[in-house]
Structure formats: C-alpha cells, structure tokens
Amino acid sequence: MVSWFRRNKPEAVAQAPSDPAQQQPATPPSAAPLDAPAATTRDDGWNSRPAVESGDNAVPAAAPGKAGWRQRLSGSGIARSLGGLFRRNPALDDALLDEIETALITADVGVAATTALVDDLRARMRKREFADATAMFRALRGELVAILEPVSKPLLIDGSARPFVIVTVGVNGVGKTTTIGKLARKFRDEHRSLMLAAGDTFRAAAVAQLQAWGERNDVQVVAQGQNADAAAVAFDAYQAAQARGAEILIADTAGRLHTQGGLMEELAKIVRVLGKQSSAVPHEILMVIDGTTGQNAIAQVRAFSAKVPVSGLVVTKLDGTAKGGVVFALAREFGIPIRYAGIGERPEDLRVFDAETFVDALLPDSLQE
C-alpha cells in the first residue's frame, strides 16, 4: 500500500495504491514553516477547527464588497496615475490623451491594449462625444470594464465530477501553495469535502507548508515527501479522493520558470497521468500570476499554455506595489477566465474576480469619489 509519507521515488507512475480508502492523512509537522500562516481556532457551524490566518502582524482582512476592493487597490499605480491626471487636465485635447497613454503603459496595461483604448477615445473626442474630461473619464472606465467582462468568469465546481480536479501551476514565488490554502478554506466554508495533493516535491518546505494548511482547514493531504515523482503523487491523490468520494481535489505543483524545459515537461506529464483517469481530468488548470511581475506575466502564461491547457487564472498580490494594469493585458492577450484576485494576505482576501468591481476599485464612477 502506498504510504502518505513514502520518501522513495515510486517505480512506476501508473501503479495505483492498492487500497486508497485505507490510507491515513498526512500528520502535520510539529512546527509550521516560517512562511506558513499562524493558526487560530474558529467554530463556524461546520466543525470546530483551526482557521488559517496570516500571522499576528498581518493586515486585517479587507472589508466585504466593493469597499474592500477600493481599500486595497486604490493605491495601485493605475489608480494613482489615471485619477490624478484627469483632475490636473480638465481640457479635452491631445495632451490629455498623451498622458492617458503614458499612464496606461506605465501601469502595465500593455502597448496593444493601450493603443486600442487611446485610439478609440481620440476618435470619440473628435466626434465631440464628450462634454468634458469627466465624460471621457467615464468612457475610459467603461472601456476598461468591457475588456475584463469576457474573462470575468467564476470557477464553477461540477458536482457530478467526483473528484473535481484542480491543478495549480505557475512560476516560483507567485503564491501557489498559499492560494491553495485559501481555496481550501473557501471550499470548506462552503461545506465541500476536498483533499490536497502535495505535488511540489522539489522545494524542501513545500510539502510541510501544504500539510500545515491542510491541518488548519481539517483537509487531508496526500504527500510522498521531497524529490518524489510529482505525477505519482497526483495519481495517488486522485485514487484516494475518488475512494473517499471527495468533491474536490487540488493538486499543488512545483514552481518552475517558464524557461526550464525539463520541469515544464514534468508538468505536462502530471496532466497526462491525470488525464488517463478520465478525458475530463483535470477539470481546471489554474495558473497563479503574481500581479507585481508586470508584462513578464504575459510570457509566463504564453509558455505554460503551450505545455498545458490553462483554463483559469488567479492574479495575486494586487494590493501593495502591484500596478494593476497587467490584468487588462492578460485579458486582451489570452482571453483566459480570471477566476480569483488576491487583494491581501488573509484567506478571505482571495476574492472571486469581477470586472465591474475591479475597475471600480481602480477608477470610481466619478472623479469626486
């Protein structure tokens, strides 16, 4: 029988556990790694269980609704630059359009998207569609919403698929493991049963970190230790989740630069192995993007999409130093649904992405707001 803690590399990926339903969940480490969040106890009616928090010194969770988005995104580069320039330049002229163009490019919206936006505004200005700068501001806001609306699609869990398999991918340091922990909290709060697969077998602390998240959310974690075959971990986790009737399985994978050919091939192998269980598996390949990386995110998504069929994006770290514009560049370049946005460290700061709410946080409907 395959152990949850098997340290040696399995002889064959295709070898299924003899009785996955008999396996025991991973025992959490005695001390969480330094980058794992601290735990507190909560009782929300599901069961009294530890809750994942981000440490004693973490910023409190953002307020619910639009207020929380504005609180966290109002300091982004695109919000500061665009709001300010319309107040400084009330006149409708080419100078204002030039400043809009500079602000959008500086905020990582990208040259193609920026050019299309500014050309449209210029044409409408010459047709005298705008009475003043405020009218142009609202038009720009509407155009930004229009770019994001096609990709504003929440992740829907197919209840007929047991388990519904989510594979997370992305480069090093974007927050994949933390995002999984936050998703685990979200799904447990929705009273869904789930399991986690510790497929990041390259990073020393990754397995322990995911186990800590699992313990604090009362979620079972399938792990085989560092340097195990990641595809075998995913296979074992699928078998165990299926045996237990879990609704959702979330598989972590090792962070890898999109230029690392060997690791990218391994990622494709994980997806192929899971695909042998069913042509629909994995049901979602969720790529995590660091919102502070700017236009490099475009190259990342292009490279990962060439290896595996990325079906959804999570953009993290949009609070703080993120410019915010990369979200528009991603939407225009790929059209891949943006499932979630990370606007803070707390689990509840992983928000379902919404085009109108996101743009409203960057650019309120009125310059007076």
Side-chain angles (χ1 to χ4, degrees), residues 181-202:
K182 292 177 179 180
L183 283 174
R185 166 74 169 269
K186 169 183 167 57
F187 291 140
R188 285 309 303 262
D189 286 348
E190 294 174 356
H191 294 218
R192 296 180 183 273
S193 61
L194 71 151
M195 296 179 68
L196 306 179
D200 184 353
T201 58
F202 285 90

Side-chain angles (χ1 to χ4, degrees), residues 53-189:
E53 300 295 350
S54 296
D56 295 336
N57 298 321
V59 176
K66 288 187 176 182
W69 287 78
R70 287 191 186 184
Q71 173 191 343
R72 294 297 172 81
L73 273 63
S74 61
S76 68
I78 191 171
R80 292 195 310 269
S81 58
L82 285 176
L85 74 85
F86 274 95
R87 293 186 182 93
R88 294 192 308 270
N89 300 276
L92 289 174
D93 54 24
D94 286 334
L96 175 58
L97 290 171
D98 288 343
E99 288 207 46
I100 293 172
E101 184 174 35
T102 300
L104 292 173
I105 291 176
T106 302
D108 288 327
V109 173
V111 174
T114 296
T115 300
L117 284 167
V118 173
D119 286 349
D120 180 71
L121 290 176
R122 180 175 284 109
R124 295 176 66 180
M125 182 182 73
R126 290 174 177 171
K127 293 177 182 178
R128 301 184 182 277
E129 291 187 21
F130 308 129
D132 51 27
T134 298
M136 180 182 283
F137 174 84
R138 289 178 177 169
L140 173 60
R141 186 183 182 281
E143 293 288 347
L144 292 172
V145 172
I147 291 175
L148 296 181
E149 279 183 336
V151 300
S152 183
K153 298 177 181 177
L155 176 61
L156 301 177
I157 304 299
D158 182 359
S160 65
R162 280 184 177 260
F164 184 92
V165 181
I166 302 170
V167 174
T168 61
V169 304
V171 303
N172 310 68
V174 296
K176 289 188 307 304
T177 305
T178 300
T179 296
I180 291 173
K182 292 177 179 180
L183 283 174
R185 166 74 169 269
K186 169 183 167 57
F187 291 140
R188 285 309 303 262
D189 286 348

